[in-house]
Amino acid sequence: MPSAQSRLFLEWSIRRPWSTVAVIVVVTIFFVAQIVDFRSGAMRLGIDASVAGLLPGDTPDRLDLESLERTFGEREPVIVALGMNDVFQASSLRAVDALTRELYRLPGVVEVMSLATVDTLRSESGETFVEPLVSRIRDDPASLAQLRREILGNRLYAGNLVSRDGSTAVILVYFDEETLESDSQGSLLHGVAETARQHAGEAEVFVTGAPYVKAATAELLLRDFTSVFPLAALATVGVAIAVFRTVAGVMVSCSGVLIGVAWILGGLAWLGRPLNLVTIIVPPLLLSVGFAYVVHVVSDYVDEVRPSGSRSRRVEALQKTLRSVGLPILLTGLTTIAGFLSLVVSPFAAVREFGFIAVVGVAVTVFLSLTYAPALLALFPTPRRSKHSGGSTGWIEFLARRLADFSFDHRGAVMLLGGGALVLSLLAASQIRVNTEIIENFPQGHPVRTGFMAVSERLDGDNSFNVVLKAERPDAFLDPRVLAPVDDFETWLESQPEIGSVTSLLDHLKLIHRTFRDDDPAFETIPDRAGLSKQLLLLAGTRDLVAYTDSDYRTLNIHVRARTVDTESLAALLDRVREKLAALPGDLEPRVTGTTVLLASAIDDIAGGQLRSLGLAFAFIFCILALLFMSLRVGAIALIPNALPVAMYFGLLGATGIPLDTTTGLLACIVLGIAVDDTIHFLTRFNHEARVRTSELEGARHAVRFVARPVTVTTLALCVGLLVLTASELQNQVRFGALGASVLAIAWLVDLTFTPALCSRLKIVTLWDVLSYDLGAAPQESIPLFAGLSKTQARIVALATRIVEIPAGTNLCRRGDPGVHLWVIVHGELEVSLEVEGRRRVLERLGRGSVVGEVAVFYGNRRSADVDALTDVRAIRLSEENLARFRSRYPRIAARVLWNLSQILAERLVSADRRLQEDRAPN
């Protein structure tokens, strides 16, 4: 039973329901005003679609990328690809030029690169000319053919600004970063696509690039938030209607969880924290989790309250409800929080933020379940139906009884089946792929995915990364002795099947060298002197050089374009690249960097973060369970049914080929934190029922039937809420929803079969029992069996064995009867007597602390006297079996108890011997 202080806290809301509801409504209005501007209707809550939160932070790879951006001004462009029959037609080149000019006019555009903006090198009559390509556009086929040869022979442009077969032209559009950041709706980037389609003529238009992907992702996230979340809310209302069939049940359960989500979203908007690719999952998830807590309150209240009861009867029923489910809800909230809290050790900022938001969200929903929900129930009329009156959920009780009976009757088979499922899951889990797929997050046929794949196929790939080489001295990358091994490395790179193109300063240098040698292909080589290289670059170097080297030629930037899409394959490629770089001269410091490199390196971080988070979640929850049940052994046993669904989740990943990424990686900890809730509800009810019925087996049967309805309803709500996510266009949310619903359904089945079978022979003690059970004043002093123990240890002894209530007038045993139990009196009085020569002789009257029945237990299993209850008696009943069980669970306490028991028996023998001597003595 809860303490007086906790009862006052829990019952405050039902004693002042109007005040409670009013305060919560006012707070809710405040938070809703943070989400939406009431005057304009505009949403104030931001959406951040960047992948920055999905990348590991403060790592060497991240620092390398920041250094690259500082040195070379690396920016991510929007890529416009124009599919043409032949780019090197005068009309096609003029179309590229015209579109380039139109794109320059868009607000926020700071640079546009295309064939219309680049310079060309040509040698004529011993002279070398550097001139814009657009100035050479002629209708003359011979001139165009010459231009084709020059451009496609230029490694800087072929595969980058034009496809190698001359069928596709590329325009790179660069925006001002501040302008992009302020464009929350992505209108500027959509303007690029619209402008390209209006001015591309008959050319096929494809648009891709990191800024465009980010804008499209933000649009889908906003669409999900405004459609999937309302759909999840409607699904929750549907489940509530199907389950409760009363206005009170639906209003209380649904309004409570919606208020909780409003508080969380309003708090994020108030703090200026936008939702991202991961945290966008929080609102529908909290709807389901919060509904699970409220269901336990409403279900228990409907069971307690009498039909047509007065307000005082409703208040009394609500008080009983809070005393019954208050502690389990607090504990299940704590374990769910532990599951989410374990995510804060993730190396990914978005995952850490998800964990923090979810922790606060669960705390808020628990608070509302224990305050707002009972207060609102107190204001509603008494429900007409009780949960046991059949109706729409009668099938739940029927199914629960059948599952429970099956699990108890086939306990061995159920345990074996669970073990087999665990083994198969672990085997399947060995096939898990760890991957981070940004483009594949879009559904098949989506313009972003189509554009990315088209550019990747028509050009040299759309996954780029950089190899940065740093030397110790200036002009190092003009020295042919330094450039020779770098040239060999670039040649090796181009030979890799995943590589589309490699571009660097060396390509500029070779091209200029060849041009100055009357365009003789034999001179497309690195000059043999550093001075010559510097002269050539000064005379004919283009403005594009700044992207490949710094001003003193001490740093070299090699652009690499890869055809591979998934980060798993890219990671394997990067491992080979780093191994090859290690063979370069020791005075060169190589770095492989880029956004795709961070995504690839995230594979190890995902796997390592998953292990850390899951290990921390298991440790948190084990500590909670061990503390709750006052035993490491019972805590471990209670954890087993929850580890099984987690193992099966990993098995599903391996069997289905769904990759483990930053989103699916959340599920293991979430499932563990949520699934253990049902286990706690079952075990706390099982503890109560086992005491009342003096049988663990019967206690387990009745516990299953009691928790079946709320557990099934909450699981149904969770699964429906997660399945709603499959309506999203973003594939990470689809996978999260489908996997989460599947695993929670498995957890439900485990909790109604495997858990009862595992615990049906288990004697448990809860922390709440130990803190609140009444053994009278100072039991360690007034009851010899507890001598030398603390009050808490004395309660553990009582609760871990068996407490029985013996009504006055009850005969406990007769002389000569078989017996396997002894009793220790906690309250009341017993009388021990013998029948001698037809006359009943009272031997003694025993009160608090006395032991009776020990002779039969330890000497021949036959009672030596009659024992009757003179008053109502509460006693601890012991047998060799439960003493042995207690000794295995609490060996140190048991050692003291057995010592005390031997002392009691010794004193009893001395006392019996003394009485015998007195009886034999002559009068």
Side-chain angles (χ1 to χ4, degrees):
M1 296 289 291
S3 65
Q5 293 83 358
S6 61
R7 285 201 301 271
L8 286 174
F9 170 76
L10 289 174
E11 295 170 11
W12 186 90
S13 62
I14 56 179
R15 295 185 183 279
R16 296 172 177 79
W18 285 110
S19 301
T20 302
V21 172
V23 169
I24 289 174
V25 168
V26 169
V27 174
T28 303
I29 292 173
F30 168 78
F31 280 122
V32 171
Q34 308 307 309
I35 303 171
V36 180
D37 188 330
F38 288 154
R39 289 173 294 183
S40 65
M43 193 171 78
R44 292 174 170 174
L45 181 64
I47 303 291
D48 178 15
S50 68
V51 299
L54 304 181
L55 301 175
D58 299 329
T59 63
D61 287 335
R62 188 68 173 258
L63 296 176
D64 287 341
L65 178 59
E66 293 173 358
S67 175
L68 174 74
E69 292 170 347
R70 286 194 302 270
T71 304
F72 297 103
E74 284 284 322
R75 293 168 295 166
E76 297 280 5
V78 177
I79 301 172
V80 179
L82 304 176
M84 303 171 167
N85 291 329
D86 185 1
V87 172
F88 296 101
Q89 295 290 326
S91 58
S92 298
L93 291 172
R94 291 190 181 107
V96 172
D97 182 35
L99 180 56
T100 299
R101 296 174 187 273
E102 290 295 327
L103 290 173
Y104 250 128
R105 295 190 179 100
L106 293 178
V109 174
V110 295
E111 185 180 4
V112 180
M113 289 185 61
S114 70
L115 291 177
T117 65
V118 299
D119 295 329
T120 61
L121 288 172
R122 66 184 179 88
S123 179
E124 185 177 320
S125 303
E127 294 188 45
T128 300
F129 299 91
V130 180
E131 54 191 5
L133 180 145
V134 291
S135 66
R136 299 178 58 192
I137 298 176
R138 306 281 189 275
D139 291 326
D140 175 24
S143 298
L144 292 172
Q146 175 63 26
L147 193 60
R148 171 194 290 271
R149 287 192 296 272
E150 289 180 15
I151 297 298
L152 294 183
N154 188 327
R155 291 166 54 88
L156 301 176
Y157 304 145
N160 293 314
L161 295 180
V162 62
S163 62
R164 296 186 186 278
D165 63 359
S167 66
T168 304
V170 172
I171 303 176
L172 306 178
V173 185
Y174 294 89
F175 280 87
D176 174 68
E177 291 295 332
E178 291 185 4
T179 304
L180 278 183
E181 289 298 326
S182 63
D183 183 32
S184 59
Q185 303 299 318
S187 56
L188 294 178
L189 299 170
H190 288 301
V192 171
E194 186 62 28
T195 301
R197 293 187 180 96
Q198 289 177 0
H199 296 86
E202 297 181 357
E204 192 175 7
V205 177
F206 303 99
V207 183
T208 186
Y212 187 71
V213 172
K214 177 183 176 181
T217 304
E219 184 179 7
L220 291 184
L221 286 175
L222 183 60
R223 190 183 307 169
D224 282 352
F225 184 74
T226 56
S227 60
V228 173
F229 176 64
L231 186 60
L234 287 175
T236 303
V237 173
V239 173
I241 292 173
V243 171
F244 296 118
R245 299 286 185 93
T246 64
V247 174
V250 175
M251 282 290 295
V252 172
S253 58
C254 295
S255 64
V257 295
L258 287 172
I259 287 173
V261 174
W263 285 18
I264 296 304
L265 294 180
L268 289 174
W270 189 27
L271 296 172
R273 302 297 302 178
L275 294 173
N276 57 45
L277 278 164
V278 178
T279 57
I280 194 77
I281 299 171
V282 170
L285 185 62
L286 281 182
L287 270 181
S288 303
V289 173
F291 185 78
Y293 297 134
V294 180
V295 162
H296 284 285
V297 175
V298 178
S299 295
D300 199 274
Y301 168 68
V302 172
D303 187 39
E304 291 285 353
V305 72
R306 294 178 180 273
S308 303
S310 63
R311 185 181 183 282
S312 61
R313 290 291 182 87
R314 295 200 302 273
V315 170
E316 182 181 349
L318 284 167
Q319 288 173 334
K320 290 181 178 178
T321 294
L322 290 178
R323 293 170 190 174
S324 173
V325 303
L327 176 66
I329 287 177
L330 287 172
L331 290 173
T332 54
L334 187 60
T335 54
T336 304
I337 285 173
F340 286 124
L341 192 61
S342 65
L343 297 172
V344 301
V345 300
S346 171
F348 305 100
V351 175
R352 293 196 300 271
E353 190 170 5
F354 175 94
F356 281 122
I357 295 172
V359 164
V360 177
V362 171
V364 167
T365 55
V366 168
F367 169 76
L368 292 172
S369 298
L370 297 177
T371 53
Y372 171 80
L376 199 57
L377 284 171
L379 298 177
F380 274 99
T382 305
R384 296 179 181 178
R385 299 169 61 91
S386 80
K387 75 174 187 176
H388 292 304
S389 60
S392 63
T393 57
W395 62 272
I396 296 177
E397 283 78 7
F398 172 77
L399 178 61
R401 284 197 300 271
R402 297 300 297 268
L403 286 173
D405 290 340
F406 176 84
S407 64
F408 297 136
D409 295 341
H410 304 85
R411 184 175 183 272
V414 170
M415 302 296 289
L416 185 62
L417 187 62
L422 177 63
V423 172
L424 290 176
S425 298
L426 294 177
L427 289 174
S430 64
Q431 304 302 312
I432 287 178
R433 294 188 306 115
V434 183
N435 208 355
T436 303
E437 302 166 338
I438 300 300
I439 292 301
E440 293 187 11
N441 200 23
F442 292 88
Q444 293 284 352
H446 192 279
V448 169
R449 188 165 181 168
T450 302
F452 178 89
M453 299 306 295
V455 171
S456 184
E457 290 169 2
R458 291 167 180 255
L459 298 168
D460 289 333
D462 200 19
N463 253 344
S464 61
F465 62 91
N466 303 75
V467 178
V468 179
L469 301 175
K470 291 185 178 181
E472 297 176 354
R473 57 186 176 87
D475 293 342
F477 290 109
L478 298 175
D479 188 338
R481 294 171 299 176
V482 175
L483 293 180
V486 175
D487 192 26
D488 292 340
F489 168 72
E490 291 188 12
T491 302
W492 174 85
L493 267 180
E494 291 178 327
S495 69
Q496 303 306 298
E498 302 95 334
I499 299 297
S501 67
V502 180
T503 311
S504 75
L505 173 69
L506 276 68
D507 299 302
H508 279 271
L509 201 51
K510 290 178 181 179
L511 178 64
I512 297 171
H513 193 207
R514 169 180 168 172
T515 304
F516 272 87
R517 294 287 186 164
D518 296 325
D519 209 23
D520 185 349
F523 287 94
E524 192 170 347
T525 59
I526 298 170
D528 56 5
R529 300 189 314 277
L532 177 58
S533 295
K534 195 165 191 175
Q535 281 184 325
L536 292 174
L537 291 173
L538 287 173
L539 290 172
T542 67
R543 54 192 169 182
D544 300 327
L545 278 179
V546 294
Y548 298 100
T549 186
D550 56 1
S551 58
D552 58 0
Y553 301 101
R554 184 180 291 182
T555 305
L556 185 71
N557 183 20
I558 304 173
H559 287 264
V560 184
R561 300 184 71 163
R563 299 187 182 94
T564 182
V565 175
D566 64 287
T567 50
E568 189 177 19
S569 302
L570 184 61
L573 169 64
L574 292 174
D575 286 341
R576 299 201 308 271
V577 170
R578 291 188 178 98
E579 184 179 351
K580 189 69 176 178
L581 284 171
L584 289 177
D587 56 346
L588 296 181
E589 181 185 348
R591 291 285 187 271
V592 183
T593 187
T595 301
T596 54
V597 174
L598 286 180
L599 286 172
S601 65
I603 288 179
D604 292 335
D605 291 306
I606 289 172
Q610 178 75 98
L611 290 175
R612 288 193 298 274
S613 295
L614 193 56
L616 191 59
F618 270 110
F620 279 160
I621 293 173
F622 170 72
C623 290
I624 293 170
L625 293 174
L627 180 62
L628 172 61
F629 298 116
M630 301 298 293
S631 168
L632 296 176
R633 175 174 169 268
V634 176
I637 291 173
L639 198 58
I640 292 172
N642 303 288
L644 186 56
V646 173
M648 296 181 76
Y649 153 72
F650 286 113
L652 280 175
L653 285 182
T656 59
I658 295 175
L660 179 67
D661 57 25
T662 48
T663 304
T664 56
L666 301 172
L667 270 172
C669 297
I670 293 174
V671 167
L672 180 60
I674 293 176
V676 77
D677 293 358
D678 293 342
T679 304
I680 289 177
H681 279 289
F682 168 79
L683 287 175
T684 51
R685 191 69 196 188
F686 162 69
N687 180 48
H688 170 75
E689 295 291 338
R691 295 192 193 289
V692 171
R693 304 176 192 283
T694 67
S695 167
E696 279 76 22
L697 181 59
E698 287 304 309
R701 288 182 187 276
H702 284 81
V704 169
R705 295 170 187 174
F706 184 88
V707 303
R709 184 175 187 270
V711 163
T712 302
V713 170
T714 55
T715 301
L716 179 63
L718 284 163
C719 290
V720 169
L722 287 169
L723 285 174
V724 167
L725 292 175
T726 61
S728 170
E729 291 187 74
L730 291 169
Q731 298 306 293
N732 69 322
Q733 295 202 53
V734 173
R735 292 191 292 263
F736 183 92
L739 275 173
S742 301
V743 178
L744 286 175
I746 291 170
W748 170 83
L749 184 62
V750 168
D751 271 322
L752 290 185
T753 55
F754 187 83
T755 303
L758 182 67
C759 300
S760 59
R761 298 177 185 175
L762 185 67
K763 182 71 176 177
I764 66 173
V765 176
T766 69
L767 176 62
W768 199 252
D769 294 326
V770 171
L771 294 177
S772 60
Y773 192 77
D774 182 20
L775 286 176
Q780 69 275 25
E781 298 175 6
S782 56
I783 300 177
L785 186 70
F786 299 149
L789 300 178
S790 67
K791 183 181 290 188
T792 297
Q793 290 173 324
R795 288 171 175 168
I796 290 174
V797 175
L799 293 164
T801 51
R802 178 75 68 198
I803 299 291
V804 294
E805 305 288 341
I806 306 168
T810 301
N811 173 253
L812 262 67
C813 59
R814 294 291 181 189
R815 181 179 183 181
D817 289 347
V820 294
H821 298 103
L822 63 85
W823 294 267
V824 181
I825 302 172
V826 177
H827 298 295
E829 192 173 13
L830 296 176
E831 182 180 75
V832 181
S833 62
L834 280 177
E835 188 172 331
V836 181
E837 297 178 354
R839 295 177 60 186
R840 183 169 173 272
R841 179 183 176 185
V842 177
L843 298 180
E844 58 183 328
R845 290 182 177 178
L846 304 175
R848 177 175 172 81
S850 298
V851 177
V852 65
E854 75 282 357
V855 174
V857 173
F858 295 104
Y859 303 102
N861 293 332
R862 291 289 173 179
R863 300 299 181 188
S864 59
D866 301 338
V867 181
D868 297 279
L870 292 178
T871 65
D872 289 342
V873 174
R874 178 185 292 177
I876 301 170
R877 191 178 72 185
L878 300 170
S879 67
E880 287 188 78
E881 179 183 355
N882 54 37
L883 277 173
R885 191 186 308 172
F886 178 73
R887 188 168 59 247
S888 67
R889 286 180 54 193
Y890 306 99
R892 301 180 69 176
I893 300 177
R896 184 68 196 185
V897 169
L898 292 173
W899 170 260
N900 291 340
L901 188 58
S902 66
Q903 291 286 95
I904 292 169
L905 293 176
E907 290 175 6
R908 183 62 57 84
L909 288 172
V910 170
S911 177
D913 182 66
R914 185 181 301 116
R915 284 200 305 271
L916 183 61
Q917 294 297 330
E918 290 174 355
D919 289 342
R920 290 178 177 176
N923 293 329

